Amino acid sequence: MNKIIENIYSRRAIRSFLDKPIPEDLIQEIINAGNMTPSGSNMQPWRFVVVQDKSFREKLVKAAMPKYKNYMEAASDAFKERRKKVDEVTTDSIYYSAPLIIFVIGTKGITVDLDCPMVCENMMLAARSLDIGSCWVLFGSFPVNDEEIKKALELKDGEKVYGPIIFGYPKDGFPQTPDKKPPIVKRI
């Protein structure tokens, strides 16, 4: 099988990591892969904030937890059940104690809502090719309204967080590909 297709097929969301730092050259490789993403009119409306500091990650978790709990109270029973399985195996339901968090931050632009998610996927695919696990974490964007965190991220008016993405070496390897529904395709 083609290595790129194999990489796409084998990328999984990883939420359990070894306590092992990712070398700086590999972090830069992941960022470079994101930066190579195509964008409308080549505007490249993104920037990256790399978080490796454990005490700052703890601040992020503390700021996100109240919103996470509120979100979970309103969630469907099916979603609560899926999250219960995740929450039982970690003390950090937001960033999963990952050694690396990268915030992808986009600026205003006509195609930014399309461009920045592609940046995230490029980064996650690059990580998989380096045997590094990753997961895009919605709940990880919850603390961006906290003033101290906004300041640390240098988040400006008109900017939006499209990550954050967590990265690390998988504690239990890469899981098997789950069954997928067949694609729905209409041909004309």
Side-chain angles (χ1 to χ4, degrees), residues 15 17-19 57 90-92 94-100 166:
R15 295 181 182 90
F17 303 99
L18 297 173
D19 186 17
R57 185 179 62 226
T90 184
T91 57
D92 175 1
I94 309 297
Y95 303 100
Y96 305 95
S97 302
L100 173 66
I166 55 175

Side-chain angles (χ1 to χ4, degrees), residues 107-154:
T107 58
K108 288 183 179 179
I110 192 165
T111 64
V112 68
D113 286 336
L114 303 172
D115 298 336
C116 289
M118 289 191 297
V119 169
C120 295
E121 185 67 12
N122 269 15
M123 293 170 68
M124 291 186 291
L125 288 171
R128 178 61 185 98
S129 74
L130 300 168
D131 291 325
I132 295 169
S134 66
C135 185
W136 175 82
V137 287
L138 166 69
F139 302 125
S141 63
F142 283 2
V144 297
N145 293 327
D146 179 280
E147 287 305 316
E148 181 182 353
I149 291 168
K150 273 175 83 168
K151 185 176 180 181
L153 298 176
E154 298 179 2

Side-chain angles (χ1 to χ4, degrees), residues 167-178:
F167 297 92
Y169 293 101
K171 189 180 243 179
D172 303 313
F174 289 91
Q176 289 294 108
T177 304

Side-chain angles (χ1 to χ4, degrees), residues 82-109:
R82 285 194 307 274
R83 286 301 298 183
K84 182 180 176 185
K85 292 174 185 175
V86 171
D87 290 344
E88 286 174 349
V89 297
T90 184
T91 57
D92 175 1
S93 300
I94 309 297
Y95 303 100
Y96 305 95
S97 302
L100 173 66
I101 305 166
I102 300 180
F103 285 83
V104 176
I105 299 172
T107 58
K108 288 183 179 179

Side-chain angles (χ1 to χ4, degrees), residues 15-126:
R15 295 181 182 90
S16 181
F17 303 99
L18 297 173
D19 186 17
K20 176 182 173 184
I22 298 171
E24 186 58 39
D25 62 322
L26 298 184
I27 294 170
Q28 193 58 52
E29 194 70 43
I30 291 167
I31 291 170
N32 290 344
N35 201 52
M36 291 302 294
T37 301
S39 62
S41 300
N42 198 31
M43 293 297 293
Q44 302 171 41
W46 53 74
R47 65 184 180 86
F48 307 93
V49 176
V50 175
V51 177
Q52 295 172 284
D53 182 77
K54 287 181 182 183
S55 64
F56 186 72
R57 185 179 62 226
E58 288 170 14
K59 285 180 187 178
L60 289 168
V61 172
K62 186 177 178 183
M65 282 310 287
K67 285 187 176 185
Y68 174 71
K69 289 177 180 176
N70 288 341
Y71 185 93
M72 290 306 295
E73 286 175 16
S76 71
D77 289 340
F79 186 76
K80 286 178 185 176
E81 189 60 33
R82 285 194 307 274
R83 286 301 298 183
K84 182 180 176 185
K85 292 174 185 175
V86 171
D87 290 344
E88 286 174 349
V89 297
T90 184
T91 57
D92 175 1
S93 300
I94 309 297
Y95 303 100
Y96 305 95
S97 302
L100 173 66
I101 305 166
I102 300 180
F103 285 83
V104 176
I105 299 172
T107 58
K108 288 183 179 179
I110 192 165
T111 64
V112 68
D113 286 336
L114 303 172
D115 298 336
C116 289
M118 289 191 297
V119 169
C120 295
E121 185 67 12
N122 269 15
M123 293 170 68
M124 291 186 291
L125 288 171

